[in-house]
Amino acid sequence: IFQLEMAGAKEGRLKMAAFTQLLRLRQVCADPRLLKDQLKADHSAKWLAFREVLDEATDGGHRILVFSQFVSVLTLLKHELKQQEVPFCYIDGSTKNRLGEADRFNDNEDIPVFLISLKAGGTGLNLTGADTVVHFDPWWNPAVEAQATDRAHRIGQTKVVTSIKLIISGSVEEKVLELQHRKADLLKGLFEEGDAASSSLSPDELKGVMT
């Protein structure tokens, strides 16, 4: 981005470059295999952390909802769970029968994990079969995360629900958490802007989130 600035690039191009780099920073926090597919699962700090959460939860008879905004992350998690022969349910934007998958999870206590795309399954589902919620990557709007957690806090829930966020320290994810409450409008511009070039954010504001 600095090189583009020195070369006299226009603001639109600088914004596109900044948005691209920001996406990569978020992806490498979620799972470095999204950027380097030759890496192994154990290179992912979040996968290692989640595996500990999963082992402790299943040992204690708990069941988990796992939310991510990246379908590519959920795809990796599906692969790892299959490798370990852990049963799971799954919803993303392409799922045709969301309620059917929710019923399958609620009705079968032998399924310990439900993988869910934040946008596709963050609202409208009753998932009281779970008592643990894992947010695999942070979202700018805490209300959206709360709505997702509420999938387990529905009528009929008889257990205490535990919510866990997996955050990479010293990363852009920590910066998102810092900004969540005091600069919600800025974060909305970062993560819900359909056209980066038309964003009201300046290149300096974009760089500030990444440094």
Side-chain angles (χ1 to χ4, degrees):
I1 296 170
F2 177 76
Q3 289 173 345
L4 287 173
E5 286 180 322
M6 293 300 98
K10 293 182 178 180
E11 184 171 295
R13 188 179 178 193
L14 290 173
K15 287 182 178 181
M16 289 297 296
F19 271 84
T20 299
Q21 295 304 319
L22 180 59
L23 173 62
R24 289 174 179 166
L25 288 172
R26 293 165 60 208
Q27 287 175 324
V28 79
C29 288
D31 196 305
R33 290 176 292 172
L34 297 181
L35 299 184
K36 291 187 177 182
D37 56 12
Q38 69 270 29
L39 296 177
K40 297 181 180 180
D42 286 354
H43 287 102
S44 170
K46 286 200 178 186
W47 164 247
L48 296 177
F50 173 69
R51 194 165 62 185
E52 289 186 14
V53 172
L54 176 61
D55 289 344
E56 291 179 6
T58 52
D59 286 346
H62 303 288
R63 303 171 69 204
I64 307 175
L65 307 181
V66 183
F67 288 96
S68 175
Q69 58 199 291
F70 297 112
V71 173
S72 51
V73 167
L74 297 177
T75 300
L76 290 174
L77 290 175
K78 281 199 302 182
H79 174 74
E80 298 302 333
L81 292 176
K82 287 178 180 177
Q83 291 286 98
Q84 298 197 15
E85 299 183 345
V86 176
F88 62 89
C89 291
Y90 180 87
I91 285 177
D92 66 18
S94 65
T95 302
K96 302 298 183 183
N97 186 3
R98 296 193 316 153
L99 292 179
E101 194 71 351
D103 289 341
R104 187 168 77 90
F105 178 77
N106 286 328
D107 295 341
N108 190 343
E109 293 188 0
D110 292 330
I111 302 175
V113 180
F114 201 148
L115 304 175
I116 307 172
S117 164
L118 186 63
K119 289 187 177 180
T123 58
L125 297 176
N126 184 330
L127 297 171
T128 54
D131 59 4
T132 303
V133 178
V134 174
H135 292 280
F136 208 84
D137 36 79
W139 187 235
W140 73 269
N141 188 343
V144 173
E145 291 182 348
Q147 285 180 339
T149 301
D150 283 347
R151 297 314 94 210
H153 276 291
R154 311 303 288 175
I155 294 174
Q157 178 59 270
T158 59
K159 299 178 181 179
V160 174
V161 176
T162 301
S163 180
I164 299 169
K165 286 185 181 183
L166 301 182
I167 304 296
I168 298 295
S169 62
S171 75
V172 68
E173 291 187 335
E174 280 197 335
K175 185 63 68 72
V176 170
L177 293 183
E178 291 171 8
L179 292 174
Q180 264 187 347
H181 298 295
R182 57 190 178 89
K183 289 194 175 180
D185 289 341
L186 171 63
L187 289 166
K188 183 176 182 179
L190 282 172
F191 299 134
E192 288 197 349
E193 182 60 56
D195 181 1
S198 68
S199 170
S200 61
L201 300 174
S202 71
D204 285 340
E205 286 175 315
L206 289 168
K207 287 189 294 182
V209 176
M210 293 186 284
T211 58

